[in-house]
Amino acid sequence: MYQVVKRHLWGYLFLLPAAVIFGLFLWTPIVKGFVYSLYHVDFMKGNAFVGLDNYVKVLRDPDIGRAVINTLYYMFLGLVIGFWVPIVFAVAISELRRFQGFVRIAAYLPNVLPVVVLYGLWRWIFDPVGPINAVLGKLGFEPVSFMTDTSWSMASLVIMETWQQFGGALLIYLAGLLSIPRDWYEAAEMDGAGVWQRIRYITLPSIKSLILLLLILQIISTSQGYQSQYAMLDGGPNKATLTYVLLIVKYAFTSQDYGAASALGVLMFFVLGGLALAQSKLAGKEGA
């Protein structure tokens, strides 16, 4: 054991700063979150141990049911509206014979927009007198209240985020497509396979594990969504965009009830941990 440590000592020393930073800024807040969930947190008078009272409090809050339903709805819309977009674009770009580089850059450009600019842009797009409603009016349709109608508000946010974020997933899919041997396509073309046959029997099966991985990652990321809901609508209208993490934010920074916010975070930790374990097992089966 001593010889192994001595042989790799410099490697361990180089890893030490990263390990310290990892433990200090990642695991320390996680452990403190578990501890704070058992306390009434008061930075002025000191913390008071309350046991499981914070968990009872948040589970009795009527907003938690609404927040969970809204989060599941947000995750569902993210899959229905946004998940397939980068896959379709990546496959279409891979089939291009010219201008692939230009199309890749154009598809990724929305990712570099600052969110402040993005939110201002889409507020104007979704405005009752904005471009979408102007087109609908010319076609003879009634204007849609994208931001104030509870039926449209969450879907509007998902459309906005899909437009901004699909470029990152697109590049990942393109990298996966580039790893597919080109002679497979050449052999398929020699056998008379058309575009749809190549996509169905070569492209999609080759990136199946990548699609599964990004599916799990999207489920996890959308379960933590709150930024656009907070910045654009603050959970409205009528709490239609109040997500689970936004409820945590409101407990912590609006009500300043950090113990209850920590309890909500702990509950979410176990749910996301279960999803991560499920993803790990699925990835293991795919590798086998």
Side-chain angles (χ1 to χ4, degrees):
M1 181 65 181
Y2 173 76
Q3 294 296 330
V4 173
V5 172
K6 184 178 180 181
R7 187 184 311 148
H8 300 290
L9 178 61
W10 281 105
Y12 293 138
L13 289 177
F14 279 114
L15 286 174
L16 183 60
V20 171
I21 293 173
F22 184 80
L24 183 62
F25 293 101
L26 182 66
W27 279 104
T28 300
I30 291 175
V31 173
K32 283 194 172 183
F34 277 87
V35 174
Y36 284 163
S37 69
L38 303 175
Y39 283 80
H40 172 71
V41 180
D42 191 326
F43 296 117
M44 299 296 293
K45 300 179 181 179
N47 301 337
F49 182 78
V50 295
L52 298 178
D53 286 356
N54 286 323
Y55 292 92
V56 174
K57 177 180 179 179
V58 296
L59 290 175
R60 287 179 176 176
D61 186 346
D63 284 343
I64 192 173
R66 172 69 68 87
V68 170
I69 293 173
N70 287 343
T71 301
L72 293 174
Y73 182 52
Y74 176 61
M75 294 165 65
F76 171 75
L77 289 178
L79 295 176
V80 172
I81 297 175
F83 180 71
W84 56 270
V85 174
I87 301 174
V88 171
F89 271 77
V91 172
I93 292 173
S94 69
E95 291 291 333
L96 290 178
R97 295 294 183 262
R98 302 174 63 184
F99 306 114
Q100 275 200 22
F102 171 77
V103 176
R104 291 177 189 177
I105 294 173
Y108 189 74
L109 278 178
N111 281 65
V112 305
L113 272 180
V115 290
V116 175
V117 177
L118 175 74
Y119 294 154
L121 171 66
W122 281 91
R123 277 186 179 277
W124 169 69
I125 292 174
F126 287 140
D127 195 87
V129 294
I132 295 180
N133 279 313
V135 173
L136 292 176
K138 289 183 178 180
L139 295 176
F141 295 99
E142 293 293 324
V144 178
S145 302
F146 292 101
M147 293 285 97
T148 57
D149 189 339
T150 56
S151 302
W152 279 97
S153 53
M154 189 70 84
S156 301
L157 296 180
V158 172
I159 292 170
M160 176 192 70
E161 292 181 339
T162 299
W163 179 83
Q164 185 208 17
Q165 298 176 4
F166 87 96
L170 171 68
L171 294 183
I172 296 175
Y173 283 121
L174 285 173
L177 293 174
L178 290 174
S179 67
I180 302 174
R182 302 308 301 175
D183 54 358
W184 292 5
Y185 291 102
E186 293 172 1
E189 290 177 0
M190 292 176 63
D191 289 338
V195 173
W196 297 113
Q197 285 76 23
R198 294 199 302 271
I199 293 173
R200 179 179 179 183
Y201 295 107
I202 298 177
T203 303
L204 293 180
S206 298
I207 61 172
K208 181 175 64 174
S209 59
L210 184 59
I211 292 174
L212 177 62
L213 173 62
L214 290 183
L215 172 64
I216 299 297
L217 292 178
Q218 175 162 323
I219 290 174
I220 293 174
S221 65
T222 51
S223 69
Q224 299 173 326
Y226 85 95
Q227 182 172 296
S228 62
Q229 289 85 353
Y230 177 69
M232 296 284 283
L233 297 169
D234 195 24
N238 195 25
K239 299 182 180 180
T241 58
L242 177 66
T243 58
Y244 189 88
V245 176
L246 181 54
L247 182 62
I248 296 177
V249 171
K250 287 183 175 294
Y251 261 109
F253 300 108
T254 302
S255 304
Q256 295 187 339
D257 191 345
Y258 300 104
S262 298
L264 286 170
V266 169
L267 294 174
M268 189 173 193
F269 176 86
F270 285 114
V271 173
L272 294 184
L275 287 175
L277 288 175
Q279 186 272 331
S280 179
K281 289 186 177 181
L282 289 173
K285 291 181 180 179
E286 288 291 327

